[in-house]
Amino acid sequence: MLGWDQATYMPPGGAVARARQGALLSRLAHEKFTDPALGELLDELQPYADGLPRDCHDARLVRVARRDFEKAVKVPADFVARWSAHSSASYDAWTKARPADDFATMRPLLERSLEFSRQYAGFFAPYEHIADPLIDGPDEGMTTAKVQSLFAELRSALVPIVRAIVAQPLIDDSCLQGSFPEAPQMAFSLAVIKRVGYDLGRGRLDKTHHPFCTKFAAGDVRITTRVRENNIAEALFSSLHEAGHALYEQGVDVAFEGTPLNSGASAGVHESQSRLWENVVGRSRGFWEHFYPLLRDTFPDHFKVVPLEAFYRAINKVARSLIRTDADEVTYNLHIMMRFDLELALLEGRLAVKDLPEAWRARFEADFGIAPPDDRDGCLQDVHWYAGSVGGGFQGYTIGNIQAAQFHAAALSAHPEITAQMARGEFGTLHAWLREHLYRHGRKFTPDELVERATGGPMRIAPYVAYLRTKYSEIYRLPRVSQRLV
Ligand code: ZN
């Protein structure tokens, strides 16, 4: 709650004290959680858990509690407190340094973050790759090698699609620009997320620098968004994205309240839900057949002259752009792959923090054909490295994109009526399928098990690549793309 407050309403003067408070609480929580008495209780429970059916709640609760405990006891409480205090101070500095394009201020802070990340990984030695412990925390079961091979496979499917699209005339998305006062933007976002199923009796929407979702309890799952008064897309899609995270958390079985099972399964699975609602649903034609009249009513002067089709094409414009969070569905993963490779280079010691801005520019130019004019829209743009670990924070987004398409395809094959319902503003069937197959399980199953149970097979890129090809061949009128790339 202190973190939520810091990111929403706390006055800037509170930063120093808040860093101290966060560090103290992190230390106390860590000490409690690593108490040897807890380890003894887990040992005592193990024979009981071993005697239970493999999939029952208690057996899984013991498994997850043990995994968390065994990870936590490897990390000294003092280290946790120092890292937390550093992250809080670094985040505060980043909120000022990014708008000022001031990498020089962030450089020593990032060097310390990198050192903390390397030390953290060191507690889990031996490992195959120094990033493995950082990845296995948020994305259980994944390793550097697995992510690298998944990314390589996806990259070879994506690059021809990107090339085919950027050879076409650029879509005109000027209808998204204009003057959109904050209050009606927030009201419209709220109406949309409520309609898709976000329960405002158990949640709320506030403003922040970097949108996020946080859960205090089953009855209190909050999200934040960011508003640009000159662009309609920012608040809307950030809100939908975070509402996707929140639908997941609000859907966890209440029986798990107060236990380690009471949250999503992994960063990747979590991201599959934010991106499913933001992109697969929120950027679909059917979705806007329902919501566009409401958007027109909210901003009549602006949208009355914009046909639905023009708006639909604008929100699905594919372009080589500087900012990850503004990137379209097709190029988005290239942003992630680049960050993933750079953080591996930092962790392995192949890249020094002082050389990061230049390495960023060079890689960006190689992948996107454009160079960021400054660090603000280059290596300073994401909060991750400046408020947490270097490593482990990015792979989940692309895993999420892949899984979002796979889950959505499974839901559609069970309920083909979902598409038509969406155009009527009905999201109940899709929401119920996701709740049944994903949300209610919380952390009970591993990410691999969840994907297997919900879709009948392991994670694979085919549904995602098929989704992109179908959608963007139609938008960009690329009749030969699908044939050539099969
Ligand atoms: Zn997210």
Side-chain angles (χ1 to χ4, degrees):
M1 194 167 286
L2 290 177
W4 172 83
D5 175 69
Q6 178 172 18
T8 51
Y9 296 105
M10 188 191 79
V16 174
R18 186 53 48 87
R20 207 167 55 226
Q21 293 153 355
L24 173 65
L25 279 179
S26 301
R27 178 202 293 271
L28 290 174
H30 189 77
E31 281 171 3
K32 294 268 182 209
F33 191 64
T34 53
D35 187 333
L38 178 60
E40 285 159 25
L41 287 171
L42 285 167
D43 287 343
E44 246 176 77
L45 276 170
Q46 198 58 52
Y48 161 72
D50 291 342
L52 293 170
R54 193 174 164 273
D55 284 354
C56 87
H57 286 1
D58 281 3
R60 293 309 184 114
L61 173 56
V62 172
R63 186 194 83 80
V64 170
R66 180 175 285 283
R67 171 178 150 89
D68 290 351
F69 177 77
E70 283 171 0
K71 272 196 188 297
V73 291
K74 290 196 162 79
V75 187
D78 172 61
F79 176 87
V80 172
R82 282 187 295 117
W83 197 3
S84 164
H86 167 73
S87 295
S88 196
S90 176
Y91 170 77
D92 185 55
W94 174 81
T95 60
K96 295 171 205 120
R98 191 198 166 201
D101 186 31
D102 178 9
F103 183 76
T105 294
M106 295 315 296
R107 182 186 147 185
L109 292 164
L110 184 57
E111 281 166 348
R112 284 206 70 199
S113 298
L114 178 60
E115 197 39 49
F116 275 117
S117 307
R118 297 172 62 95
Q119 277 182 38
Y120 177 84
F123 297 134
F124 296 87
Y127 40 68
E128 226 165 81
H129 189 282
I130 186 169
D132 285 354
L134 293 153
I135 293 170
D136 184 67
D139 286 302
E140 181 177 7
M142 293 307 282
T143 62
T144 308
K146 282 188 196 173
V147 175
Q148 281 173 320
S149 100
L150 187 71
F151 282 11
E153 193 192 352
L154 182 59
R155 194 181 177 89
S156 65
L158 277 178
V159 168
I161 302 177
V162 173
R163 280 205 191 114
I165 290 174
V166 297
Q168 299 296 313
L170 213 57
I171 283 175
D172 175 11
D173 66 346
S174 57
C175 66
L176 305 178
Q177 321 285 331
S179 173
F180 308 103
E182 182 179 307
Q185 278 209 62
M186 290 293 278
F188 180 73
S189 292
L190 214 53
V192 169
I193 60 180
K194 201 170 151 184
R195 184 81 194 192
V196 301
Y198 179 50
D199 179 358
L200 284 159
R202 299 187 291 139
R204 54 177 294 130
L205 175 68
D206 295 274
K207 285 194 306 156
T208 189
H209 280 287
H210 201 92
F212 63 93
C213 167
T214 187
K215 181 183 203 174
F216 304 139
D220 191 351
V221 179
R222 303 184 189 189
I223 61 176
T224 63
T225 192
R226 141 174 91 187
V227 181
R228 277 188 214 156
E229 292 202 312
N230 62 357
N231 189 310
I232 190 74
E234 177 78 25
L236 173 62
F237 289 108
S238 293
S239 303
L240 253 178
H241 179 100
E242 299 307 331
H245 284 302
L247 288 178
Y248 191 177
E249 292 295 342
Q250 288 188 334
V252 174
D253 190 335
V254 289
F256 297 158
E257 182 90 323
T259 79
L261 299 181
N262 191 29
S263 71
S266 69
V269 176
H270 234 297
E271 208 56 30
S272 80
Q273 293 315 294
S274 55
R275 306 193 71 79
L276 186 151
W277 289 101
E278 176 194 354
N279 291 330
V280 182
V281 172
R283 293 181 202 269
S284 71
R285 189 179 268 114
F287 184 87
W288 286 102
E289 279 168 17
H290 174 73
F291 281 112
Y292 199 55
L294 178 62
L295 185 66
R296 267 196 171 141
D297 288 347
T298 310
F299 300 102
D301 293 343
H302 186 87
F303 285 110
K304 73 177 173 225
V305 293
V306 180
L308 168 62
E309 189 60 21
F311 178 79
Y312 171 69
R313 288 168 61 79
I315 58 170
N316 287 297
K317 173 185 174 178
V318 175
R320 294 167 160 152
S321 64
L322 296 172
I323 310 291
R324 173 185 65 88
T325 54
D326 294 344
D328 57 83
E329 290 178 280
V330 187
T331 59
Y332 185 91
N333 302 291
L334 299 177
H335 289 266
I336 296 302
M337 291 170 189
M338 168 183 152
R339 285 155 177 75
F340 185 75
D341 290 344
L342 287 174
E343 62 191 13
L344 293 188
L346 288 166
L347 286 163
E348 289 170 21
R350 286 185 285 118
L351 175 64
V353 167
K354 72 173 168 53
D355 300 323
L356 177 64
E358 196 40 52
W360 183 288
R361 268 188 286 279
R363 172 67 186 263
F364 200 86
E365 206 162 358
D367 275 11
F368 293 84
I370 46 174
D374 50 30
D375 297 329
R376 194 179 79 93
D377 290 342
C379 67
L380 281 175
Q381 70 178 264
D382 290 305
V383 67
H384 305 60
W385 293 338
Y386 304 101
S389 61
V390 177
F394 284 109
Q395 75 286 331
Y397 293 103
T398 287
I399 293 170
N401 281 332
I402 295 167
Q403 293 182 352
Q406 192 168 345
F407 288 135
H408 188 250
L412 272 186
S413 82
H415 301 284
E417 69 276 18
I418 282 173
T419 309
Q421 288 176 343
M422 207 148 66
R424 298 196 299 268
E426 294 164 19
F427 302 93
T429 306
L430 176 60
H431 190 182
W433 188 92
L434 292 165
R435 211 164 38 220
E436 170 67 19
H437 293 274
L438 292 179
Y439 302 171
R440 71 186 172 97
H441 297 308
R443 289 178 71 201
K444 186 177 165 183
F445 299 112
T446 67
D448 286 349
E449 287 172 330
L450 267 182
V451 173
E452 185 83 40
R453 292 171 63 100
T455 72
M459 170 166 56
R460 54 201 197 95
I461 67 163
Y464 181 49
V465 174
Y467 159 78
L468 290 178
R469 277 179 190 157
T470 307
K471 178 173 175 180
Y472 289 93
S473 295
E474 194 260 336
I475 291 174
Y476 280 90
R477 304 182 182 100
L478 304 169
R480 284 166 47 227
V481 164
S482 53
Q483 293 154 21
R484 198 173 61 211
L485 297 176
V486 163

